[in-house]
Amino acid sequence: MKVRTRSSAIIGTICLLASLTLATASADEPAAPRQAAEVALTEVATAQNPIAGAAGPGGTVWIAERAGTVRVLGDQGLGEPVLDISDETTTDGERGLLGIAFDNELAHFYISFTDLEGTSTVDEFAVQDGEIQPDTRRTVLTQTQPYANHNGGDIRFGPDGYLYIAFGDGGSGGDPHDNGQNLDTLLGKLLRIDPSGGEPYAIPSDNPFVDDPNAKGEIWAYGLRNPWRFSFDSGTGDLLIADVGQSAWEEIDWASADSEGGENYGWSEMEGNHSFRGGIEPANHVPPIHEYDRNGLGCSVTGGYVYRGDAIPDLQGQYVFSDYCDGTVRALQVENGEVTGESDLGVNGGQVISFVQDGEGELYVLDIAGSVSRIDPA
């Protein structure tokens, strides 16, 4: 591992400017079709396979590159790496540095990566004066992966201050080990842990399966195939999970901020709203709020964020997302867990691998081919 410090402050707020409009409808009439604003993607930096990002101290934005480096976005693009674990990971299959996050106090920095043996690993560093303290590094959680795909790997802190970790079903195809519905494994799950509450972590006492001897206490939700990107609505606390489908359906799942956890999103009995290979829908299946098929150009949903920035009032409250193969940037209007409108923003982000939200609620689009872009008015 190599760590470098920054010699100057990095810029903070970067604005996403895109807008959607909604015609006013009476209480007895459906809402009018939503019209997307004219927007353009402005490239603000290039990177080596940018894959994830996080809002950092002092209004900064940190960008992770898949091979194992983390760099900070500045006026002249991305600076020199502030962290380099490229000798500890591999980009074979779907492996690499897959996620980064700061805790809510910006006092600790977390990385999610697969090590050289393919084991999913979440490590923690203390942060002081906006800089990583390499000597404080410790491993919080590991999970063996049976295959090189469906690693998941997204991490972020919820409004409750706990760390959420997304793991795919273990890989191959069709969930051959039935991990999605098996509560005795962390694979195919969204986890919730308290990294500061124990060594190496504590399990929150109100996790849904904490008292079930046949389940892993870390589990918050299950029935997921490859929840590549998830996020919390910074305005409401609601959770949105974009779960990549097998061969036919891509889905976006939702849970309200007051959820007590335990949601079963259906995989591998279900793919979206549809039975998978003759599967029987679980009685507690929570169907997606949005799905789309692969009859068009889409092949792998890339989840984003509910927009809560100040730059675009018309976009407030809408969930921005894309697809790795299609690249079209889209937005959903979600009301109480129901989609009431969908818009095509009219821009294409390339091979969209992730979105990043800065400290002011503005967004970036990451193209795995190298572009870090901001959405601006056309």
Side-chain angles (χ1 to χ4, degrees), residues 31-372:
R34 200 172 278 281
Q35 299 297 317
E38 294 183 359
V39 302
L41 289 179
T42 301
E43 186 177 275
V44 296
T46 57
Q48 293 294 320
N49 304 130
I51 196 166
T60 58
V61 173
W62 294 37
I63 301 295
E65 297 172 309
R66 185 183 174 199
T69 49
V70 179
R71 303 164 71 188
V72 182
L73 185 64
D75 287 318
Q76 304 304 316
L78 292 170
E80 292 297 314
V82 296
L83 179 68
D84 186 346
I85 62 161
S86 55
D87 58 349
E88 301 178 38
T89 188
T90 173
T91 57
D92 292 344
E94 296 175 3
R95 297 168 173 167
L97 176 57
L98 304 176
I100 60 175
F102 286 90
D103 62 17
N104 293 348
E105 292 75 34
L106 302 177
H108 295 90
F109 180 65
Y110 296 81
I111 58 174
S112 173
F113 67 100
T114 50
D115 69 14
L116 295 175
E117 285 72 45
T119 298
S120 289
T121 305
V122 176
D123 281 2
E124 174 197 87
F125 299 83
V127 176
Q128 183 175 352
D129 298 326
E131 297 178 352
I132 293 172
Q133 305 300 300
D135 293 341
T136 66
R137 182 178 183 178
R138 72 182 185 96
T139 295
V140 176
L141 182 145
T142 62
Q143 171 62 49
T144 302
Q145 294 283 353
Y147 304 100
N149 61 335
H150 302 185
N151 293 179
D154 202 10
I155 54 174
R156 66 193 65 252
F157 279 79
D160 54 14
Y162 293 130
L163 177 61
Y164 290 74
I165 304 167
F167 283 143
D169 65 7
S172 187
D175 195 8
H177 303 293
D178 296 321
N179 289 325
Q181 294 296 309
N182 180 6
L183 293 175
D184 194 31
T185 176
L186 301 183
L187 296 174
K189 313 297 189 298
L190 182 68
L191 313 181
R192 179 186 187 239
I193 65 171
D194 180 3
S196 65
E199 184 59 43
Y201 62 86
I203 298 174
S205 60
D206 58 348
N207 271 13
F209 302 106
V210 72
D211 295 322
D212 185 342
N214 299 312
K216 298 290 187 182
E218 295 91 339
I219 296 171
W220 180 253
Y222 67 109
L224 296 163
R225 180 180 176 272
N226 192 24
W228 173 242
R229 292 291 177 243
F230 71 95
S231 64
F232 292 93
D233 181 343
S234 61
T236 66
D238 297 340
L239 168 67
L240 293 108
I241 307 170
D243 196 17
V244 179
Q246 175 69 39
S247 57
W249 296 94
E250 303 299 307
E251 70 180 85
I252 295 171
D253 300 311
W254 178 91
S256 67
D258 60 3
S259 166
E260 297 181 352
E263 286 85 2
N264 179 3
Y265 294 111
W267 178 256
S268 60
E269 295 295 321
M270 305 291 291
E271 184 181 13
N273 288 304
H274 313 271
S275 172
F276 178 73
R277 296 179 180 174
I280 298 173
E281 182 175 13
N284 63 343
H285 177 223
V286 178
I289 61 167
H290 182 69
E291 65 175 12
Y292 61 92
D293 61 37
R294 292 188 177 182
N295 293 332
L297 299 176
C299 76
S300 179
V301 64
T302 299
Y305 294 85
V306 174
Y307 179 74
R308 295 295 179 185
D310 293 329
I312 322 160
D314 288 342
L315 195 58
Q316 278 282 343
Q318 298 189 51
Y319 179 70
V320 179
F321 72 104
S322 187
D323 185 281
Y324 179 77
C325 293
D326 175 62
T328 302
V329 180
R330 304 180 186 277
L332 298 178
Q333 179 69 39
V334 181
E335 303 289 346
N336 298 318
E338 294 186 3
V339 173
T340 59
E342 178 180 6
S343 295
D344 179 341
L345 294 182
V347 293
N348 192 291
Q351 294 173 292
V352 179
I353 196 71
S354 190
F355 289 82
V356 184
Q357 183 182 58
D358 73 12
E360 301 298 324
E362 310 299 339
L363 304 180
Y364 306 88
V365 182
L366 302 185
D367 178 351
I368 192 66
S371 295
V372 179

